[in-house]
Amino acid sequence: MPRSARVTTTTTTTTTTTTTTGPKESFSKQNKAAVSMVSGIQGSLCVCVAVLCLYPSQADQSCLDRQQVLIAIRQMQQFLKGQESRFTDGIRIMKARLSALQKSITKPPADQVTATSCPPLEAPKHGKMFGSKYSVDHEVHFFCQPDFQLVGSNSRLCQSNGQWTGQPTECKAADWSTLSDSSFSRKARCAKIERTQHCSCDAGFHMSGSSENSMCKDVNECEVYQLDGVPSLCVHTCINIPGSYRCSCPPAYKLLSDGRSCEDIDECATSQHNCTRGNTCINTGGAFQCVNPECPKSHGNVSYVKTSPFQCERNPCPMNSRSCHHAPKTISFHYLSLPSNLNTPVTLFRMATAAAPGRPGPDSLRFGIVGGNSRGQFVVQRSDRHTGELILVQPLKGPWVTEVDVDMSEYLDRTFQAKHVSRITLFVSANEF
C-alpha cells in the first residue's frame, strides 16, 4: 500500500436490549450482543495498532493515540468483566430454579410421607417387652411369664409409615385342663378282621378300656421321661399337650431350633435395654444391668482418677507417704454372668502383669482375695510365674449378685513396688443354663 494512502477505520456500534424473558433466552441475546460489540471494538483496536506500527506518520490522522488505545482496552476489560458476572449470576439462578423444580417433582404425596417413629407400645399383662426404641426399622419383642401363652405377635417392627407390623400381644393363662375331655382322650379306631376286633390309637396316645369300649388316652411325656425330678425332654419347662409335648423358656430367653434348649437374649447387643447415657449395658442371664463404676473417694494423700469406663488410676503420691504408695495403683472393674449351680471347680478370672518398655518388670508376684469372700466360695492360685487365677469352688445359686476383690502385688528384689486390684461382680442367673 502506498505511504500516501489513507486508512479509514469503521467502528460498528451494537445496541444491547434486555427483556424479561426466561434466563436461557436472556443469556442468548446478551451473549450475541456482547459478541458483536467485542468483535467491533476488537476490529477497531487491531486496525489502530496496525496503523501505529506501519504508518506512524498517518497514525494521528486515522487512529487513536496510544493513551486512548489503553483507555479503550481497559473499558473493554471492564465490559467483559461485567458480562462474565452477569453470566455467572444467571447460571446460579438457573441452577436454583432447576433444583426447586426437581424437589417439587420428587416430593412424595402427603399420604406417603415417611414417618420417623411409631407410637409407644406397652408390655402385656403377665409378660415383658424388650426394646425401648420406637424409631423406624427397630424391633420390640414380647415374652410371657411361665404358665401363660402368648397370643398375637411375639415381635413387631416399626415401619416407615409409622405403623407397627403384626398384631397386638396378649399373655393368656395356659389351661390345658379344659381340653381333657375333647383332646386328651378320644375313641379308638377299631375294625373287625376275621371276626376279631382290632383297635389302634394315634402316636402319643395309649389304649384304655375294654375291647368293646376302647378309648385312646394321652400319654404324658413330661411325666414318663422325668427322672429324679429333673425334666429330660426340655432344658427348662415341659408342657404336655394332646398327643405330644412342647418346651417353653423363661422370659428373656428364646427356644432354639432343637425345640428343647433355651438361649438367653442379649438385650445389650440388640439394643433392647434402657441404659441411659454414661452407663454401660451388661448382659446377664434373662436380664441386663446398667453399670457405671466409680472410683474410691479421696482419703489422706490417696486419690484416684477415672481413666476409662472400667478403670481408675491413683494420682502421684508424695515421696514420704508410705500409705499412699501401698494403696492400689490401679483399680479395674469386671462383670461376669453365670448360670445357677455351676459345676465347680471352675476358673472365672485371670490376672497377669507386663513390664513397661525400657523398665524392669517385677521378679515376684503375690495374689490374694481382699474382699467379698465371706462364704469361702472363691480361692486364688498361681497358674504360672506371672499369672494368678480366681477359682469358684462352691456352686452359687441364683438369682444373686456378689462381688469379690482380687489383688496382685508386685515385688522387685523382695521390695514392694505396686499393688493392683480387680473388683469382679458376678451376676448369677436364676436358671441353670
Side-chain angles (χ1 to χ4, degrees):
M1 176 183 296
R3 294 181 61 88
S4 60
R6 187 185 183 104
V7 177
T8 302
T9 302
T10 302
T11 303
T12 303
T13 303
T14 303
T15 302
T16 303
T17 303
T18 304
T19 64
T20 58
T21 57
K24 186 173 182 181
E25 295 178 2
S26 176
F27 291 156
S28 178
K29 291 181 179 181
Q30 290 180 8
N31 289 341
K32 289 180 180 179
V35 170
S36 299
M37 179 175 290
V38 171
S39 300
I41 296 175
Q42 184 178 7
S44 299
L45 288 174
C46 290
V47 173
C48 288
V49 171
V51 170
L52 286 171
C53 295
L54 299 176
Y55 308 100
S57 61
Q58 300 294 329
D60 295 337
Q61 301 177 6
S62 60
C63 189
L64 306 174
D65 58 21
R66 295 179 186 274
Q67 186 65 27
Q68 291 174 329
V69 171
L70 291 175
I71 293 173
I73 290 174
R74 292 192 189 99
Q75 291 176 347
M76 188 168 64
Q77 288 175 337
Q78 292 294 326
F79 170 77
L80 292 176
K81 185 176 180 181
Q83 290 296 319
E84 181 182 12
S85 177
R86 293 189 188 92
F87 183 79
T88 303
D89 291 342
I91 290 293
R92 178 178 53 80
I93 294 172
M94 178 62 73
K95 286 183 176 179
R97 291 181 178 177
L98 288 175
S99 298
L101 179 62
Q102 183 181 21
K103 289 181 179 179
S104 65
I105 294 175
T106 58
K107 184 178 180 180
D111 58 348
Q112 297 181 5
V113 176
T114 301
T116 58
S117 62
C118 292
L121 297 175
E122 294 183 358
K125 188 178 180 181
H126 305 297
K128 290 185 178 181
M129 181 183 73
F130 294 93
S132 57
K133 295 183 179 180
Y134 304 140
S135 53
V136 174
D137 293 334
H138 276 80
E139 280 187 325
V140 293
H141 302 266
F142 302 94
F143 300 91
C144 294
Q145 297 175 2
D147 299 327
F148 286 87
Q149 288 181 305
L150 189 146
V151 178
S153 301
N154 58 3
S155 63
R156 303 182 72 180
L157 174 70
C158 180
Q159 304 177 100
S160 59
N161 60 2
Q163 300 295 324
W164 292 99
T165 60
Q167 301 297 325
T169 304
E170 294 182 71
C171 292
K172 294 186 176 181
D175 187 7
W176 294 105
S177 61
T178 59
L179 303 176
S180 58
D181 294 335
S182 60
S183 299
F184 286 94
S185 61
R186 59 189 62 173
K187 289 185 177 182
R189 294 193 302 268
C190 299
K192 284 187 177 182
I193 302 176
E194 297 180 356
R195 299 182 182 182
T196 303
Q197 183 165 309
H198 297 270
C199 299
S200 63
C201 296
D202 294 332
F205 292 85
H206 65 90
M207 189 76 65
S208 177
S210 62
S211 58
E212 290 79 14
N213 190 21
S214 298
M215 293 293 294
C216 293
K217 290 189 176 182
D218 173 62
V219 176
N220 190 333
E221 294 87 356
C222 298
E223 292 183 357
V224 172
Y225 291 95
Q226 192 171 14
L227 179 63
D228 295 332
V230 179
S232 58
L233 292 177
C234 302
V235 169
H236 181 56
T237 301
C238 178
I239 300 175
N240 183 53
I241 60 176
S244 186
Y245 70 96
R246 69 178 181 89
C247 299
S248 68
C249 296
Y253 287 82
K254 62 182 178 180
L255 190 66
L256 296 181
S257 57
D258 62 3
R260 65 178 301 272
S261 303
C262 298
E263 182 179 70
D264 173 57
I265 295 175
D266 191 339
E267 294 85 1
C268 301
T270 55
S271 299
Q272 300 177 36
H273 62 84
N274 56 2
C275 296
T276 57
R277 187 174 181 179
N279 288 267
T280 301
C281 179
I282 303 296
N283 183 60
T284 63
F288 62 90
Q289 297 288 333
C290 302
V291 301
N292 184 19
E294 296 183 356
C295 299
K297 293 182 179 180
S298 302
H299 58 283
N301 294 323
V302 182
S303 63
Y304 291 88
V305 60
K306 202 170 186 179
T307 56
S308 74
F310 299 110
Q311 180 158 310
C312 299
E313 293 188 10
R314 189 191 65 208
N315 289 313
C317 295
M319 292 297 295
N320 58 349
S321 177
R322 179 180 176 86
S323 60
C324 181
H325 284 286
H326 279 77
K329 186 176 182 181
T330 64
I331 301 175
S332 58
F333 302 88
H334 309 268
Y335 302 91
L336 301 178
S337 177
L338 299 179
S340 183
N341 294 322
L342 183 66
N343 291 332
T344 56
V346 60
T347 301
L348 300 180
F349 183 77
R350 289 184 173 89
M351 293 184 69
T353 185
R359 299 182 61 183
D363 55 17
S364 177
L365 296 175
R366 296 179 185 176
F367 299 93
I369 296 177
V370 293
N373 193 28
S374 58
R375 301 183 184 180
Q377 295 106 338
F378 308 96
V379 297
V380 171
Q381 70 178 24
R382 186 189 302 271
S383 59
D384 58 39
R385 183 178 179 183
H386 296 287
T387 306
E389 296 179 337
L390 175 67
I391 299 176
L392 177 67
V393 294
Q394 293 184 17
L396 302 177
K397 184 174 179 58
W400 191 38
V401 179
T402 185
E403 290 183 353
V404 58
D405 294 343
V406 180
D407 76 336
M408 177 180 66
S409 299
E410 300 177 349
Y411 291 83
L412 181 62
D413 296 331
R414 298 183 179 181
T415 302
F416 175 81
Q417 299 293 311
K419 180 192 294 185
H420 307 273
V421 171
S422 295
R423 176 162 295 173
I424 305 158
T425 303
L426 302 174
F427 299 104
V428 185
S429 169
N431 306 299
E432 298 183 1
F433 47 84

